[in-house]
mmCIF file of all heavy atoms in Angstrom:
data_model
loop_
_atom_site.group_PDB
_atom_site.id
_atom_site.type_symbol
_atom_site.label_atom_id
_atom_site.label_comp_id
_atom_site.label_asym_id
_atom_site.label_seq_id
_atom_site.Cartn_x
_atom_site.Cartn_y
_atom_site.Cartn_z
ATOM 1 N N ALA A 288 -4.190 15.175 -52.556
ATOM 2 C CA ALA A 288 -3.364 14.952 -51.365
ATOM 3 C C ALA A 288 -4.119 15.356 -50.099
ATOM 4 O O ALA A 288 -4.086 14.634 -49.089
ATOM 5 C CB ALA A 288 -2.060 15.746 -51.473
ATOM 6 N N ASN A 289 -4.796 16.501 -50.152
ATOM 7 C CA ASN A 289 -5.576 16.948 -48.994
ATOM 8 C C ASN A 289 -6.701 15.979 -48.666
ATOM 9 O O ASN A 289 -6.996 15.704 -47.501
ATOM 10 C CB ASN A 289 -6.141 18.346 -49.254
ATOM 11 C CG ASN A 289 -5.067 19.419 -49.244
ATOM 12 O OD1 ASN A 289 -4.016 19.234 -48.647
ATOM 13 N ND2 ASN A 289 -5.310 20.538 -49.929
ATOM 14 N N ALA A 290 -7.339 15.479 -49.693
ATOM 15 C CA ALA A 290 -8.419 14.523 -49.498
ATOM 16 C C ALA A 290 -7.896 13.235 -48.856
ATOM 17 O O ALA A 290 -8.533 12.650 -47.979
ATOM 18 C CB ALA A 290 -9.101 14.211 -50.830
ATOM 19 N N ALA A 291 -6.693 12.801 -49.307
ATOM 20 C CA ALA A 291 -6.096 11.587 -48.746
ATOM 21 C C ALA A 291 -5.754 11.783 -47.274
ATOM 22 O O ALA A 291 -5.990 10.895 -46.441
ATOM 23 C CB ALA A 291 -4.844 11.215 -49.543
ATOM 24 N N LEU A 292 -5.176 12.962 -46.934
ATOM 25 C CA LEU A 292 -4.853 13.260 -45.533
ATOM 26 C C LEU A 292 -6.109 13.298 -44.676
ATOM 27 O O LEU A 292 -6.124 12.799 -43.548
ATOM 28 C CB LEU A 292 -4.109 14.598 -45.444
ATOM 29 C CG LEU A 292 -2.663 14.602 -45.930
ATOM 30 C CD1 LEU A 292 -2.117 16.031 -45.926
ATOM 31 C CD2 LEU A 292 -1.798 13.720 -45.036
ATOM 32 N N LYS A 293 -7.155 13.915 -45.226
ATOM 33 C CA LYS A 293 -8.414 13.990 -44.492
ATOM 34 C C LYS A 293 -8.985 12.609 -44.232
ATOM 35 O O LYS A 293 -9.476 12.305 -43.135
ATOM 36 C CB LYS A 293 -9.409 14.838 -45.284
ATOM 37 C CG LYS A 293 -10.715 15.097 -44.548
ATOM 38 C CD LYS A 293 -11.622 16.006 -45.362
ATOM 39 C CE LYS A 293 -12.925 16.280 -44.610
ATOM 40 N NZ LYS A 293 -13.823 17.165 -45.399
ATOM 41 N N GLU A 294 -8.877 11.735 -45.245
ATOM 42 C CA GLU A 294 -9.382 10.370 -45.094
ATOM 43 C C GLU A 294 -8.589 9.604 -44.036
ATOM 44 O O GLU A 294 -9.160 8.876 -43.210
ATOM 45 C CB GLU A 294 -9.295 9.645 -46.440
ATOM 46 C CG GLU A 294 -9.899 8.242 -46.408
ATOM 47 C CD GLU A 294 -9.852 7.571 -47.765
ATOM 48 O OE1 GLU A 294 -9.460 8.223 -48.745
ATOM 49 O OE2 GLU A 294 -10.213 6.386 -47.838
ATOM 50 N N LYS A 295 -7.250 9.791 -44.047
ATOM 51 C CA LYS A 295 -6.410 9.135 -43.045
ATOM 52 C C LYS A 295 -6.742 9.626 -41.637
ATOM 53 O O LYS A 295 -6.780 8.848 -40.680
ATOM 54 C CB LYS A 295 -4.934 9.397 -43.348
ATOM 55 C CG LYS A 295 -4.403 8.641 -44.562
ATOM 56 C CD LYS A 295 -2.931 8.945 -44.769
ATOM 57 C CE LYS A 295 -2.383 8.192 -45.981
ATOM 58 N NZ LYS A 295 -0.944 8.496 -46.202
ATOM 59 N N PHE A 296 -6.967 10.924 -41.510
ATOM 60 C CA PHE A 296 -7.304 11.505 -40.212
ATOM 61 C C PHE A 296 -8.617 10.940 -39.702
ATOM 62 O O PHE A 296 -8.721 10.547 -38.522
ATOM 63 C CB PHE A 296 -7.390 13.026 -40.345
ATOM 64 C CG PHE A 296 -7.790 13.722 -39.080
ATOM 65 C CD1 PHE A 296 -6.877 13.886 -38.049
ATOM 66 C CD2 PHE A 296 -9.088 14.205 -38.913
ATOM 67 C CE1 PHE A 296 -7.244 14.517 -36.862
ATOM 68 C CE2 PHE A 296 -9.455 14.835 -37.745
ATOM 69 C CZ PHE A 296 -8.534 14.995 -36.716
ATOM 70 N N ILE A 297 -9.617 10.888 -40.565
ATOM 71 C CA ILE A 297 -10.927 10.353 -40.174
ATOM 72 C C ILE A 297 -10.812 8.878 -39.779
ATOM 73 O O ILE A 297 -11.412 8.425 -38.798
ATOM 74 C CB ILE A 297 -11.952 10.529 -41.325
ATOM 75 C CG1 ILE A 297 -12.239 12.026 -41.543
ATOM 76 C CG2 ILE A 297 -13.246 9.783 -41.017
ATOM 77 C CD1 ILE A 297 -13.095 12.316 -42.757
ATOM 78 N N THR A 298 -10.001 8.129 -40.553
ATOM 79 C CA THR A 298 -9.796 6.707 -40.250
ATOM 80 C C THR A 298 -9.134 6.531 -38.886
ATOM 81 O O THR A 298 -9.529 5.656 -38.093
ATOM 82 C CB THR A 298 -8.928 6.057 -41.336
ATOM 83 O OG1 THR A 298 -9.566 6.217 -42.613
ATOM 84 C CG2 THR A 298 -8.736 4.566 -41.042
ATOM 85 N N ALA A 299 -8.122 7.369 -38.605
ATOM 86 C CA ALA A 299 -7.426 7.288 -37.324
ATOM 87 C C ALA A 299 -8.369 7.595 -36.166
ATOM 88 O O ALA A 299 -8.360 6.899 -35.137
ATOM 89 C CB ALA A 299 -6.241 8.255 -37.311
ATOM 90 N N ILE A 300 -9.180 8.634 -36.319
ATOM 91 C CA ILE A 300 -10.156 8.987 -35.284
ATOM 92 C C ILE A 300 -11.140 7.846 -35.070
ATOM 93 O O ILE A 300 -11.501 7.519 -33.930
ATOM 94 C CB ILE A 300 -10.909 10.283 -35.674
ATOM 95 C CG1 ILE A 300 -9.955 11.486 -35.676
ATOM 96 C CG2 ILE A 300 -12.064 10.530 -34.711
ATOM 97 C CD1 ILE A 300 -9.363 11.810 -34.323
ATOM 98 N N ALA A 301 -11.559 7.217 -36.161
ATOM 99 C CA ALA A 301 -12.512 6.105 -36.063
ATOM 100 C C ALA A 301 -11.902 4.938 -35.284
ATOM 101 O O ALA A 301 -12.562 4.340 -34.417
ATOM 102 C CB ALA A 301 -12.929 5.655 -37.469
ATOM 103 N N TRP A 302 -10.628 4.606 -35.563
ATOM 104 C CA TRP A 302 -9.969 3.507 -34.862
ATOM 105 C C TRP A 302 -9.780 3.822 -33.376
ATOM 106 O O TRP A 302 -9.932 2.945 -32.517
ATOM 107 C CB TRP A 302 -8.624 3.191 -35.512
ATOM 108 C CG TRP A 302 -8.734 2.308 -36.719
ATOM 109 C CD1 TRP A 302 -8.484 2.632 -38.019
ATOM 110 C CD2 TRP A 302 -9.161 0.939 -36.728
ATOM 111 N NE1 TRP A 302 -8.715 1.569 -38.850
ATOM 112 C CE2 TRP A 302 -9.139 0.502 -38.086
ATOM 113 C CE3 TRP A 302 -9.561 0.041 -35.744
ATOM 114 C CZ2 TRP A 302 -9.491 -0.784 -38.452
ATOM 115 C CZ3 TRP A 302 -9.917 -1.254 -36.127
ATOM 116 C CH2 TRP A 302 -9.876 -1.647 -37.467
ATOM 117 N N ILE A 303 -9.436 5.076 -33.099
ATOM 118 C CA ILE A 303 -9.283 5.486 -31.695
ATOM 119 C C ILE A 303 -10.613 5.344 -30.957
ATOM 120 O O ILE A 303 -10.668 4.859 -29.821
ATOM 121 C CB ILE A 303 -8.768 6.941 -31.613
ATOM 122 C CG1 ILE A 303 -7.325 7.017 -32.098
ATOM 123 C CG2 ILE A 303 -8.860 7.473 -30.181
ATOM 124 C CD1 ILE A 303 -6.792 8.435 -32.222
ATOM 125 N N PHE A 304 -11.697 5.749 -31.603
ATOM 126 C CA PHE A 304 -13.017 5.650 -30.997
ATOM 127 C C PHE A 304 -13.396 4.187 -30.761
ATOM 128 O O PHE A 304 -13.933 3.822 -29.697
ATOM 129 C CB PHE A 304 -14.053 6.324 -31.900
ATOM 130 C CG PHE A 304 -15.454 6.252 -31.369
ATOM 131 C CD1 PHE A 304 -15.850 7.045 -30.294
ATOM 132 C CD2 PHE A 304 -16.386 5.390 -31.938
ATOM 133 C CE1 PHE A 304 -17.137 6.978 -29.797
ATOM 134 C CE2 PHE A 304 -17.672 5.313 -31.446
ATOM 135 C CZ PHE A 304 -18.054 6.110 -30.376
ATOM 136 N N ILE A 305 -13.101 3.329 -31.746
ATOM 137 C CA ILE A 305 -13.404 1.912 -31.620
ATOM 138 C C ILE A 305 -12.608 1.294 -30.463
ATOM 139 O O ILE A 305 -13.140 0.514 -29.659
ATOM 140 C CB ILE A 305 -13.097 1.172 -32.938
ATOM 141 C CG1 ILE A 305 -14.102 1.612 -34.026
ATOM 142 C CG2 ILE A 305 -13.148 -0.344 -32.749
ATOM 143 C CD1 ILE A 305 -13.759 1.114 -35.418
ATOM 144 N N ALA A 306 -11.314 1.658 -30.392
ATOM 145 C CA ALA A 306 -10.462 1.137 -29.315
ATOM 146 C C ALA A 306 -10.980 1.588 -27.955
ATOM 147 O O ALA A 306 -10.985 0.809 -26.985
ATOM 148 C CB ALA A 306 -9.017 1.608 -29.517
ATOM 149 N N PHE A 307 -11.400 2.851 -27.852
ATOM 150 C CA PHE A 307 -11.954 3.361 -26.603
ATOM 151 C C PHE A 307 -13.207 2.596 -26.202
ATOM 152 O O PHE A 307 -13.373 2.214 -25.036
ATOM 153 C CB PHE A 307 -12.258 4.852 -26.751
ATOM 154 C CG PHE A 307 -13.013 5.441 -25.579
ATOM 155 C CD1 PHE A 307 -12.349 5.729 -24.399
ATOM 156 C CD2 PHE A 307 -14.384 5.681 -25.665
ATOM 157 C CE1 PHE A 307 -13.034 6.250 -23.314
ATOM 158 C CE2 PHE A 307 -15.068 6.200 -24.582
ATOM 159 C CZ PHE A 307 -14.396 6.494 -23.407
ATOM 160 N N CYS A 308 -14.086 2.373 -27.165
ATOM 161 C CA CYS A 308 -15.334 1.648 -26.891
ATOM 162 C C CYS A 308 -15.051 0.216 -26.435
ATOM 163 O O CYS A 308 -15.673 -0.285 -25.485
ATOM 164 C CB CYS A 308 -16.222 1.648 -28.131
ATOM 165 S SG CYS A 308 -16.915 3.271 -28.540
ATOM 166 N N LEU A 309 -14.086 -0.444 -27.095
ATOM 167 C CA LEU A 309 -13.737 -1.811 -26.713
ATOM 168 C C LEU A 309 -13.153 -1.852 -25.305
ATOM 169 O O LEU A 309 -13.486 -2.742 -24.512
ATOM 170 C CB LEU A 309 -12.739 -2.390 -27.723
ATOM 171 C CG LEU A 309 -13.304 -2.766 -29.098
ATOM 172 C CD1 LEU A 309 -12.171 -3.192 -30.032
ATOM 173 C CD2 LEU A 309 -14.331 -3.888 -28.977
ATOM 174 N N SER A 310 -12.284 -0.887 -25.000
ATOM 175 C CA SER A 310 -11.683 -0.827 -23.657
ATOM 176 C C SER A 310 -12.753 -0.608 -22.607
ATOM 177 O O SER A 310 -12.710 -1.214 -21.525
ATOM 178 C CB SER A 310 -10.651 0.310 -23.594
ATOM 179 O OG SER A 310 -9.610 0.100 -24.516
ATOM 180 N N LEU A 311 -13.711 0.265 -22.900
ATOM 181 C CA LEU A 311 -14.789 0.533 -21.964
ATOM 182 C C LEU A 311 -15.643 -0.712 -21.727
ATOM 183 O O LEU A 311 -16.002 -1.033 -20.585
ATOM 184 C CB LEU A 311 -15.655 1.684 -22.493
ATOM 185 C CG LEU A 311 -16.802 2.152 -21.588
ATOM 186 C CD1 LEU A 311 -16.245 2.680 -20.273
ATOM 187 C CD2 LEU A 311 -17.633 3.242 -22.283
ATOM 188 N N VAL A 312 -15.934 -1.428 -22.812
ATOM 189 C CA VAL A 312 -16.735 -2.655 -22.699
ATOM 190 C C VAL A 312 -15.995 -3.693 -21.856
ATOM 191 O O VAL A 312 -16.582 -4.348 -20.983
ATOM 192 C CB VAL A 312 -17.047 -3.217 -24.105
ATOM 193 C CG1 VAL A 312 -17.639 -4.627 -23.997
ATOM 194 C CG2 VAL A 312 -18.014 -2.301 -24.839
ATOM 195 N N ILE A 313 -14.685 -3.854 -22.117
ATOM 196 C CA ILE A 313 -13.884 -4.830 -21.360
ATOM 197 C C ILE A 313 -13.836 -4.452 -19.891
ATOM 198 O O ILE A 313 -13.971 -5.305 -19.003
ATOM 199 C CB ILE A 313 -12.462 -4.913 -21.952
ATOM 200 C CG1 ILE A 313 -12.513 -5.542 -23.353
ATOM 201 C CG2 ILE A 313 -11.546 -5.734 -21.034
ATOM 202 C CD1 ILE A 313 -11.208 -5.468 -24.102
#
Side-chain angles (χ1 to χ4, degrees):
N289 289 337
L292 287 174
K293 186 177 181 180
E294 184 178 354
K295 288 181 180 179
F296 177 76
I297 293 173
T298 302
I300 293 296
W302 278 112
I303 291 173
F304 179 74
I305 291 171
F307 172 77
C308 290
L309 287 174
S310 299
L311 183 62
V312 169
I313 292 171

